[in-house]
Amino acid sequence: MTTHEFDFVVVGAGTSGCYAAATAAKAGYDAVVVERKDAEQAGHIACGDALKGAANFPDAIPKTELEPAFTNTGVDHGRFEIPQEDTVLEIPIPGELAVIDRWKYGRRIIESADEAGVEFHYDTVVQDVEQDRSGRVTGVTATRQGDAVTYDAEFVVDAAGSLSLLQDKVDFSESTFDTNVDYSQFCSAYREIVEVPEPVEWDDALVFKPTERAAGYLWYFPRTDTEINAGLGFQMNEEPMHLVEDLKHDLRNRSEFQGAEVTDKLGAALPTRRPYDSATHPGYLAVGDAAGHVNPTTGGGIAGAAYAGMYAAEAAIDALEDGVHDEAALWSYNERVMDHFGARYAALDVYNVLSTAVDVDDLMSLLAALPGKQLSEALYAGTSSFGVGLAAKVAAKSFGHWGQIYKMYQTKRVADRLLDHYESYPSSPDGLARWQSRRDDIMDDVYEVTGADAKY
């Protein structure tokens, strides 16, 4: 068996993995990314291609390195199609937006990490995780091009994506790493890249459309005015959808897709849950999809994953320089994630919980009654200035749905409480259990207000 030794072993060549490895390499540490795909397919990942937060990226791979993959920087709003109400909502989306060619973007981050000094081992499938007697993760074992290989490391960064295999292998009994993870907290998604014969009228918008059940939605994101990322997804705790057939059915009923050509197809799973309460364990950090770093209402996660990769590597570098590998030494990573986007994503998850407990027609009627500004805030900020007075005005437009509007108002209030609680995220692992207990009390109120089944 071949053995390699590195300071950092990063599993997965996606956004968070490349940023973690590049951060470590630029600080002078040996970093390797092990990737199950071959060199040609690496970076080819199923994605909606919409990039929220396109204004900046960490310095390890600056935005200027990625801009060749930005195919549409003219998108500036969301277009919500609501067939049940025969209406279309045009709502603002805060911050800089772009639609990208995800495969080209994937190649750019790999090339930039390589230029930073990162080593890439392709065709490498991780089989197991190694731990010492104290429980500290010390490396991984894998099969590389059919041969057994071991990677010994000071730190292992798990960037292996949703429902990461590594987390099935690690014994987390000696840490606070979040193991309250279940497949039902994830979404199954499928997308096609479609070339249409004539420019679409909505090339400046991200188009969303509900599926027949509240647990899913379709999207049409314009890479250009004739190249569209078309896809859909559904929550895994619901009855499975026929993803390919359901997407094709909708495409056939849209005039702009008549005579279109499909150029690429791909599916994936992604988290539609709150970020992991803790993504650290001695010698081990999880990042990106592997730690739930995705907006649970939209599925967006590229920019957050980039910063998570940087935060993880920087925490591990500090620990390495201090000669320690324990969880307390890595804790600043959890704190920075929660401060940057984790708290907001946890509050947004409350609205995801609500969506599982309401009838899709009632939900669409409610959305059609919401002013665009408040809908935008709810989808992207985790809170909204939806006061009692505004609720009354909306109710006047929505006779017959007042119960749902009041439920939305109650949901907003409990989401605000949750957001406030995340502001007091503990400064060390010792405080996590108490913080979780108080958070879980708020979640009990979420389930009571929404009528939803417990998600965690």
Side-chain angles (χ1 to χ4, degrees):
M1 177 182 289
T2 302
T3 299
H4 298 285
E5 294 184 1
F6 290 89
D7 297 317
F8 287 82
V9 170
V10 180
V11 181
T15 297
S16 57
C18 286
Y19 271 90
T23 299
K26 286 193 169 184
Y29 292 92
D30 295 329
V32 63
V33 172
V34 297
E35 168 59 43
R36 62 182 178 83
K37 295 177 181 177
D38 62 27
E40 181 180 349
Q41 286 292 316
H44 190 202
I45 296 173
C47 180
D49 293 348
L51 177 56
K52 171 72 171 65
N56 58 76
F57 279 80
D59 290 339
I61 305 176
K63 179 184 175 183
T64 53
E65 296 290 317
L66 310 176
E67 287 177 337
F70 288 27
T71 57
N72 184 355
T73 58
V75 287
D76 59 11
H77 68 285
R79 176 183 171 92
F80 281 71
E81 299 180 352
I82 305 180
Q84 296 92 328
E85 296 293 312
D86 191 27
T87 191
V88 173
L89 299 179
E90 307 277 358
I91 71 164
I93 298 178
E96 186 175 342
L97 297 174
V99 182
I100 64 174
D101 180 324
R102 182 60 183 79
W103 198 351
K104 184 180 292 185
Y105 164 88
R107 298 307 309 165
R108 293 300 303 151
I109 59 174
I110 289 172
E111 290 166 6
S112 295
D114 178 76
E115 292 170 1
V118 176
E119 192 169 327
F120 283 82
H121 288 189
Y122 300 108
D123 294 305
T124 304
V125 180
V126 172
Q127 305 291 342
D128 208 345
V129 176
E130 295 192 325
Q131 294 178 261
D132 64 17
R133 291 183 178 180
S134 71
R136 171 194 156 195
V137 171
T138 59
V140 299
T141 59
T143 301
R144 185 182 183 198
Q145 298 176 333
D147 296 327
V149 60
T150 297
Y151 293 88
D152 293 337
E154 297 289 344
F155 289 97
V156 171
V157 178
D158 178 3
S162 300
L163 300 168
S164 167
L165 169 70
L166 278 68
Q167 292 169 31
D168 293 333
K169 302 294 185 178
V170 177
D171 177 1
F172 291 117
S173 60
E174 300 301 318
S175 72
T176 65
F177 191 93
D178 195 342
T179 57
N180 186 12
V181 181
D182 184 80
Y183 81 95
S184 64
Q185 302 159 3
F186 291 75
C187 171
S188 182
Y190 169 78
R191 70 99 177 101
E192 296 181 348
I193 305 302
V194 185
E195 292 275 3
V196 297
E198 299 291 336
V200 297
E201 296 179 353
W202 35 264
D203 62 308
D204 60 347
L206 303 179
V207 179
F208 300 87
K209 180 182 178 181
T211 57
E212 293 183 358
R213 296 197 305 272
Y217 74 88
L218 293 131
W219 70 79
Y220 296 98
F221 297 163
R223 283 185 174 180
T224 69
D225 59 4
T226 58
E227 185 181 39
I228 313 300
N229 182 309
L232 78 169
F234 73 95
Q235 196 72 23
M236 288 188 185
N237 64 336
E238 298 291 328
E239 180 182 348
M241 293 172 60
H242 301 288
L243 292 174
V244 178
E245 292 83 355
D246 287 356
L247 177 60
K248 290 188 179 301
H249 174 75
D250 202 69
L251 289 171
R252 284 194 296 267
N253 287 281
R254 299 182 71 100
S255 60
E256 61 264 53
F257 287 93
Q258 300 304 308
E261 177 186 359
V262 176
T263 60
D264 191 51
K265 304 176 182 180
L266 213 56
L270 69 153
T272 45
R273 52 154 293 149
R274 67 192 179 206
Y276 284 17
D277 291 351
S278 168
T280 56
H281 175 88
Y284 178 95
L285 309 94
V287 294
D289 284 10
H293 295 159
V294 171
N295 182 326
T297 59
T298 66
I302 292 176
Y307 278 96
M310 180 188 74
Y311 295 155
E314 290 181 342
I317 288 168
D318 288 343
L320 189 57
E321 292 179 349
D322 290 338
V324 292
H325 299 78
D326 62 14
E327 187 176 22
L330 302 174
W331 197 254
S332 63
Y333 163 56
N334 287 328
E335 292 182 89
R336 294 177 76 184
V337 165
M338 293 303 182
D339 181 63
H340 185 166
F341 60 82
R344 178 165 52 91
Y345 285 2
L348 286 168
D349 186 48
V350 173
Y351 297 100
N352 204 32
V353 170
L354 171 67
S355 73
T356 67
V358 298
D359 178 82
V360 64
D361 290 335
D362 287 342
L363 180 62
M364 291 304 106
S365 295
L366 174 58
L367 294 181
L370 280 172
K373 180 176 182 292
Q374 278 66 37
L375 182 56
S376 176
E377 289 172 345
L379 285 171
Y380 293 97
T383 185
S384 173
S385 53
F386 193 81
V388 175
L390 181 58
K393 292 179 182 179
V394 172
K397 294 173 56 181
S398 307
F399 182 79
H401 298 283
W402 292 352
Q404 291 293 349
I405 290 174
Y406 182 61
K407 180 181 286 189
M408 184 70 170
Y409 174 67
Q410 290 180 304
T411 300
K412 183 264 180 189
R413 294 184 65 185
V414 73
D416 286 351
R417 285 175 52 206
L418 188 67
L419 186 63
D420 289 342
H421 180 65
Y422 268 77
E423 296 299 320
S424 63
Y425 184 81
S427 58
S428 74
D430 294 339
L432 186 65
R434 184 177 181 183
W435 178 87
Q436 286 175 316
S437 178
R438 293 177 177 174
R439 189 274 315 278
D440 291 347
D441 288 342
I442 299 173
M443 288 303 300
D444 287 341
D445 291 341
V446 169
Y447 302 134
E448 182 178 353
V449 165
T450 61
D453 294 333
K455 185 173 181 177
Y456 303 99

